[in-house]
Amino acid sequence: MIPVGEKLDFLEDKELNNVFIGRKASIFKKYGYEAALQLGRVKEQEHEGANVYLDSMNPHVVFVCGARGSGKSYVLGVVAEELAEKNKNVGVIVVDPIGVFWSMKFKNKEEREVEKLREWGMEPQGLTNLKVFIPEGVKKDVPKTTYDEGFAIQPSLLTGEDWSLTFGIDRFSVSGLLLDKVLKKVEKGYKQKETNKKIGAKKKNYSIEDLIYCLETDSELNSREKGYKPDSIRAISSRFEAAKTWGIFHEKGTPLGKLSREGQLTVLDTSFLDDNVTALVIGILARRLLSARKISTRKEAANKFKALSMDELLELEVPPTWLFIDEAHTLIPSGNETTPATAGLIEYVKQGRRPGLSLVFATQQPSAINTKVLSQLDVIMSHKLIFDDDIKAVFKRTPTIMPKKYRAPNFIKTLPVGVAVTGDRREETSRAFVMDIRPRKSQHEGRDAETTQMSESMEEEQVKKIAVELISRYIKEEKAIDLDKAKLALDTLNIKYGSNIEFEDLFGELEEKGFLIGEEKIMVEGYTQEEAVKELSGENDEEDEEENEEDEDEEPEEGEEESEEGENEEPELDENTLTKLVSLPRRISEENARRILEKVRKKKMFGILGNSDRIESIQLKYSPIWKIKFDVMSRRKEFISRECFINSLTGELIHFKNGKFIESKGLNYLAELNEEEVKILKVLQKKELLLEEIMAKTELDEAKTRRVLKNLMEKGIVTRVSDKMSDKKIYWLKEKLDFPPNESHELLASVGTLPFTKPESLSMEKETYSKESCSEALKKLWPSVIINKIEILYKPLWHIVLSIDAKERIVLIDAVNGTILQH
């Protein structure tokens, strides 16, 4: 236990040796342990072993930070697990950018953790109320056992600013203004070029295809006098076409009430999406939750449902919600950089407390988080951190006194895994303290609203009457309703009022009102199933004819003058300029690089003999690194998400250990080798072997083994010598291979524990090994891996040219840690 000088006080239950953070004394007096989340135990001499409980009756902003592997994602799971078990009156949404939280439906099977759980008086337990959503467009490619449903977003929920940030376009450029215009035109209606026919307003129910069609056919946008250049229109159209492939857009979308439900833990698995698209999903989700809860808390229960439509019920009737976000530094970065999530999350934390919205967010780089979000936190849990800037950021933002002992330079750097320095804004907690996080029960693959008030109660007949009226009103307006949508509305009311009405119980009253109940729809009398399908899909005969007409519009002739509105338009942007580059931060200045250079510079002997190296140039350059995200099957036949990093200049796996970068040896061979060659390479990796031993280990026949060995010798990878005793040939590798022992080894993701920033310059080294060849090499090393995504990152280095006697040589110095890479 850790001895600390300053006195530690809590809101506590002395009889049971339990303490609370985030909970008001008045709430504890009234509700006791209701909705109290058990996070861990005090790991200090004072209050030694006391169980630590986090309040979830009131909304909170909880910040978790720590280097990769220190336990930050684990503690997110602990909080989510406790909420799912202890507070059935809130909705819980976990946005999962790395695809690890879906496994919480299974009980913890790790023997060491199971043993520790029993020491804590707990048992392994999977979550029965967990529901995993993945992007609608990727469902066909994902094992059905790993998710429950798909989710989609209505394009109409996006503003022009959302699209601009997602596409990487300047909001006030010509392209940004064009985006704004096309959104307004589709929403309000527009005229086609040439035919001048009116295309009806889509209001809030349009698709990506509608946006593209408007761009291509609107008379004003395509006017030679008042419109935009064809290149600009094509640039935006192509980006919308790309957005269709993300798999997250549909004109109907997923109702918010399906994602945030009382007693349901929702996991939004966004690991299939790029970071900017995940940011878009989170930004829109945060806005929707805030808007829904603001409206919901202002309406009186007695009048609420009289004014709500069916769609409004499913969108606005959401409970107080806890939103969880991992890898937050990519979504709400510090400084002037913004993402599609930035504005939405800032408003969420600033305005969300009163309507009952909580945020739990985690990062490996606290110094890179937007300060407007950090300023709102009231509970912080900091695990082990590596860099001083991040540690200083924690000291600055901890909402209570940080003891002098904890401010020692190496204290946070040496915290064990699963241990966190914890700070609480409540006055009942006198200072920050050290907490040991409790083990997970589920499997781990990373005036304020009081959210545990009793649910409103209502007689079942009254709930049934509300449900019938809602469904009837919708059918009268739309002529038909999907059975699934009607059932979802009833489920929402059942949860809201604690009733248990079966969907079939509504059929009698609906039929009495003259509605027909089909296999897929409930319809007005005389309305056919085919008509219902056509109507609900938004089809229109007249518009269909217009859309099917051949577009014979002529393109403007080359060199033709454009209108004044198009005169200052920017040329179509190169996609490369839209890429958000990220790099390891430069920590070695040019001055320091020059000092390090002195170790390898040739100098005059005794200061007078010979010549000295002269520095011709010194330049900061960026070496590309491939970040590869992949899945691998565990021994329990479950998919686990992993990542590794490959130096694109050497083609080798790159790791970070004990403050230094180290690389594997031999991965760059594999991409060019066939299956048999790789097989022999792997058996020779361990020791030299006779021909017969190689045949036995690889199960290849003699002829094939000899042929493959000959090829490897010609490539300079394998050599042989005669054994003096037996005169048989012994084969071994010319250069010893050195790979991590398996695809789940902790070193593979070690580079990811480091913070990343924007490069200081655009002087990039061109990669030697393409992402395709690196991906191929990885799959040959470990055939079971499934590659999900490959991103490019950069590592800074000082590129120095020295000359002596008209001869030049290159010196490379690692700009992260000062290692001399080449001289």
Side-chain angles (χ1 to χ4, degrees):
M1 296 300 163
I2 300 170
V4 180
E6 291 89 335
K7 183 173 174 54
L8 177 58
D9 290 323
F10 285 107
L11 171 63
E12 62 180 316
D13 181 343
K14 292 183 179 180
E15 290 185 11
L16 297 177
N17 194 27
N18 295 331
V19 300
F20 293 84
I21 58 174
R23 175 153 288 192
K24 300 175 184 176
S26 59
I27 296 293
F28 177 61
K29 184 176 180 180
K30 183 177 180 180
Y31 293 101
Y33 284 83
E34 186 175 353
L37 315 180
Q38 186 176 356
L39 300 187
R41 289 175 178 165
V42 178
K43 196 177 177 66
E44 295 190 11
Q45 287 182 348
E46 199 172 359
H47 295 278
E48 177 180 345
N51 292 307
V52 180
Y53 287 85
L54 171 67
D55 170 79
S56 74
M57 191 168 285
N58 290 297
H60 297 283
V61 177
V62 181
F63 180 44
V64 183
C65 59
R68 184 71 61 87
S70 63
K72 63 179 174 57
S73 295
Y74 193 93
V75 79
L76 287 187
V78 169
V79 179
E81 199 174 80
E82 285 283 307
L83 277 167
E85 182 181 346
K86 307 282 183 61
N87 194 343
K88 302 291 186 181
N89 297 309
V90 298
V92 183
I93 301 178
V94 179
V95 181
D96 183 7
I98 52 180
V100 296
F101 286 94
W102 63 269
S103 64
M104 292 176 72
K105 63 176 63 177
F106 305 107
K107 67 180 182 180
N108 195 334
K109 299 175 184 176
E110 298 295 328
E111 291 183 10
R112 182 178 57 82
E113 292 188 23
V114 170
E115 185 178 337
K116 193 175 179 184
L117 268 172
R118 286 170 183 154
E119 291 173 5
W120 284 61
M122 301 176 178
E123 289 293 329
Q125 180 183 337
L127 299 180
T128 57
N129 56 347
L130 180 138
K131 201 164 188 178
V132 179
F133 290 78
I134 65 172
E136 189 71 36
V138 304
K139 282 166 58 176
K140 62 181 183 298
D141 301 319
V142 179
K144 292 184 178 179
T145 55
T146 62
Y147 72 93
D148 296 292
E149 288 192 45
F151 75 88
I153 295 172
Q154 287 180 298
S156 56
L157 292 172
L158 277 69
T159 65
E161 184 176 7
D162 290 331
W163 284 117
S164 294
L165 286 168
T166 307
F167 289 155
I169 292 172
D170 183 349
R171 174 77 174 80
F172 300 104
S173 67
V174 173
S175 295
L177 296 174
L178 176 56
L179 271 171
D180 270 339
K181 277 200 171 184
V182 73
L183 296 180
K184 290 174 183 175
K185 282 181 174 291
V186 171
E187 188 173 331
K188 296 179 179 179
Y190 60 94
K191 289 183 179 180
Q192 281 187 309
K193 61 182 180 181
E194 302 299 333
T195 63
N196 225 24
K197 287 184 179 179
K198 176 77 173 177
I199 301 297
K202 293 285 185 177
K203 295 184 179 178
K204 292 295 181 182
N205 192 28
Y206 55 79
S207 65
I208 298 283
E209 286 81 2
D210 292 324
L211 294 169
I212 296 171
Y213 188 70
C214 176
L215 276 166
E216 294 173 347
T217 65
D218 174 70
S219 59
E220 182 184 352
L221 297 181
N222 290 274
S223 166
R224 294 183 181 179
E225 291 76 30
K226 299 181 180 179
Y228 290 79
K229 291 181 179 178
D231 282 352
S232 295
I233 290 174
R234 278 195 295 270
I236 300 301
S237 292
S238 66
R239 285 167 175 78
F240 280 134
E241 289 286 356
K244 286 163 59 178
T245 67
W246 299 342
I248 63 167
F249 292 116
H250 191 278
E251 58 195 84
K252 291 186 178 179
T254 302
L256 188 59
K258 203 170 188 178
L259 301 178
S260 179
R261 314 198 79 181
E262 292 174 1
Q264 175 177 298
L265 173 58
T266 296
V267 173
L268 281 185
D269 188 343
T270 63
S271 60
F272 309 92
L273 307 175
D274 290 338
D275 288 345
N276 63 324
V277 185
T278 293
L280 178 68
V281 170
I282 291 172
I284 292 172
L285 178 62
R287 286 207 305 260
R288 290 169 73 187
L289 285 169
L290 182 60
S291 176
R293 285 299 301 165
K294 278 182 175 179
I295 294 171
S296 182
T297 52
R298 287 175 188 165
K299 292 199 172 193
E300 292 293 330
N303 299 319
K304 186 184 300 183
F305 296 106
K306 292 180 181 179
L308 287 181
S309 68
M310 174 69 67
D311 288 333
E312 286 172 334
L313 169 74
L314 300 180
E315 180 67 20
L316 300 180
E317 186 49 41
V318 297
T321 302
W322 284 63
L323 178 61
F324 287 69
I325 298 173
D326 203 356
E327 305 295 339
H329 57 280
T330 65
L331 306 168
I332 39 175
S334 59
N336 295 323
E337 185 182 357
T338 57
T339 75
T342 301
L345 284 177
I346 289 173
E347 291 306 305
Y348 181 96
V349 296
K350 282 187 173 182
Q351 301 181 31
R353 289 180 187 269
R354 188 169 294 278
L357 295 174
S358 297
L359 178 67
V360 184
F361 62 112
T363 182
Q364 57 183 285
Q365 193 182 355
S367 61
I369 295 287
N370 190 293
T371 55
K372 292 180 180 178
V373 176
L374 288 178
S375 66
Q376 301 297 315
L377 68 88
D378 58 302
V379 175
I380 184 171
M381 288 177 269
S382 176
H383 295 268
K384 175 182 177 179
L385 289 166
I386 297 172
F387 294 112
D388 292 337
D389 287 348
D390 296 327
I391 294 170
K392 289 175 184 175
V394 168
F395 292 159
K396 184 177 180 181
R397 293 297 174 182
T398 298
T400 187
I401 296 169
M402 182 69 77
K404 184 178 180 182
K405 181 179 178 65
Y406 298 170
R407 291 181 175 273
N410 291 321
F411 184 80
I412 288 184
K413 291 182 181 181
T414 57
L415 283 175
V417 173
V419 173
V421 175
T422 305
D424 171 24
R425 191 185 294 274
R426 296 299 313 162
E427 62 272 12
E428 290 88 344
T429 309
S430 61
R431 63 167 173 82
F433 64 98
V434 176
M435 176 170 61
D436 190 8
I437 303 300
R438 77 154 175 82
R440 285 267 295 271
K441 297 178 185 178
S442 63
Q443 184 64 22
H444 175 55
E445 280 300 316
R447 193 179 57 223
D448 287 346
E450 293 181 358
T451 62
T452 56
Q453 293 172 348
M454 297 297 291
S455 298
E456 298 174 59
S457 60
M458 189 179 286
E459 294 292 332
E460 287 203 348
E461 279 303 313
Q462 196 173 354
V463 178
K464 185 176 176 182
K465 184 178 180 182
I466 291 173
V468 171
E469 288 179 356
L470 271 169
I471 294 170
S472 300
R473 192 189 323 153
Y474 188 93
I475 297 172
K476 287 175 182 177
E477 293 173 357
E478 303 293 336
K479 298 184 180 180
I481 184 173
D482 291 328
L483 286 180
D484 287 344
K485 191 168 191 174
K487 189 174 185 302
L488 181 60
L490 177 62
D491 288 346
T492 302
L493 293 173
N494 275 333
I495 291 171
K496 175 70 179 175
Y497 293 111
S499 53
N500 192 28
I501 301 168
E502 296 292 336
F503 187 45
E504 291 74 13
D505 294 345
L506 307 181
F507 288 1
E509 292 188 31
L510 290 170
E511 287 172 344
E512 286 179 11
K513 290 180 176 288
F515 301 131
L516 298 177
I517 300 173
E519 293 181 3
E520 298 180 3
K521 318 277 181 186
I522 303 176
M523 303 160 280
V524 295
E525 191 172 0
Y527 205 56
T528 68
Q529 186 86 2
E530 290 76 15
E531 288 174 321
V533 171
K534 188 172 184 180
E535 184 70 29
L536 290 176
S537 66
E539 294 179 9
N540 180 284
D541 289 342
E542 183 179 352
E543 289 184 10
D544 282 348
E545 291 177 9
E546 295 171 358
E547 291 175 3
N548 291 329
E549 288 179 354
E550 290 186 6
D551 186 359
E552 298 177 354
D553 297 338
E554 296 178 1
E555 293 289 339
E557 293 181 11
E558 190 174 357
E560 215 170 41
E561 292 292 331
E562 293 294 330
S563 67
E564 291 181 6
E565 186 173 352
E567 281 180 0
N568 296 321
E569 291 186 86
E570 59 190 15
E572 184 175 354
L573 295 173
D574 188 316
E575 291 296 334
N576 290 330
T577 65
L578 301 176
T579 304
K580 291 187 176 179
L581 305 176
V582 291
S583 162
L584 290 165
R586 177 184 63 80
R587 299 187 182 275
I588 304 299
S589 66
E590 181 177 337
E591 182 180 351
N592 287 337
R594 290 177 182 273
R595 281 200 291 267
I596 294 168
L597 180 65
E598 293 302 310
K599 298 176 183 178
V600 296
R601 243 182 110 191
K602 292 180 181 177
K603 301 173 186 174
K604 292 181 179 181
M605 190 177 298
F606 308 118
I608 54 172
L609 301 177
N611 293 322
S612 299
D613 273 326
R614 185 174 70 254
I615 299 176
E616 294 292 337
S617 67
I618 179 166
Q619 185 181 6
L620 183 65
K621 291 194 174 184
Y622 286 84
S623 166
I625 297 174
W626 297 118
K627 177 182 178 181
I628 301 181
K629 295 184 178 181
F630 61 90
D631 288 340
V632 64
M633 185 81 76
S634 70
R635 285 176 295 180
R636 295 181 297 277
K637 303 299 181 184
E638 298 167 359
F639 280 105
I640 302 173
S641 296
R642 292 286 185 262
E643 65 184 26
C644 66
F645 299 82
I646 297 180
N647 186 338
S648 73
L649 299 183
T650 63
E652 297 290 357
L653 290 162
I654 183 170
H655 319 298
F656 185 75
K657 186 177 181 181
N658 298 329
K660 294 183 179 180
F661 292 98
I662 56 176
E663 294 192 6
S664 63
K665 291 181 181 178
L667 184 70
N668 53 16
Y669 294 154
L670 301 188
E672 304 301 323
L673 301 183
N674 60 38
E675 185 179 343
E676 288 83 10
E677 290 171 336
V678 172
K679 194 177 285 188
I680 288 180
L681 215 62
K682 286 182 179 179
V683 300
L684 288 176
Q685 180 182 356
K686 299 176 182 178
K687 65 175 185 176
E688 63 274 12
L689 296 171
L690 296 170
L691 177 67
E692 292 78 8
E693 292 173 320
I694 296 173
M695 291 166 54
K697 289 179 180 293
T698 61
E699 299 181 349
L700 299 175
D701 61 45
E702 183 177 351
K704 182 169 285 187
T705 304
R706 289 185 181 277
R707 185 168 62 252
V708 173
L709 285 167
K710 182 182 178 183
N711 291 340
L712 290 171
M713 287 190 289
E714 288 175 352
K715 293 176 180 178
I717 299 173
V718 170
T719 188
R720 69 181 179 183
V721 69
S722 296
D723 180 50
K724 292 181 180 178
M725 299 292 293
S726 63
D727 202 33
K728 291 184 177 180
K729 305 295 184 187
I730 299 176
Y731 296 85
W732 75 89
L733 298 177
K734 269 191 170 182
E735 190 174 344
K736 186 173 176 59
L737 302 184
D738 184 18
F739 305 124
N742 57 63
E743 58 270 52
S744 299
H745 196 274
E746 60 182 10
L747 268 182
L748 287 170
S750 57
V751 173
T753 65
L754 303 174
F756 286 86
T757 61
K758 276 194 167 184
E760 297 175 22
S761 69
L762 293 177
S763 181
M764 308 297 181
E765 295 279 2
K766 182 169 177 57
E767 63 269 12
T768 305
Y769 291 86
S770 68
K771 63 181 178 182
E772 290 79 15
S773 65
C774 291
S775 171
E776 187 66 26
L778 196 67
K779 286 189 284 187
K780 285 180 177 176
L781 178 61
W782 296 309
S784 63
V785 304
I786 301 170
I787 307 294
N788 288 330
K789 185 163 64 172
I790 302 179
E791 302 170 357
I792 191 165
L793 312 172
Y794 289 92
K795 180 171 163 241
L797 54 84
W798 287 106
H799 184 279
I800 305 168
V801 179
L802 300 177
S803 69
I804 186 171
D805 298 331
K807 292 182 180 179
E808 290 187 348
R809 66 187 178 106
I810 305 296
V811 177
L812 299 180
I813 297 176
D814 190 319
V816 179
N817 59 13
T819 302
I820 298 172
L821 305 175
Q822 174 185 317
H823 63 86

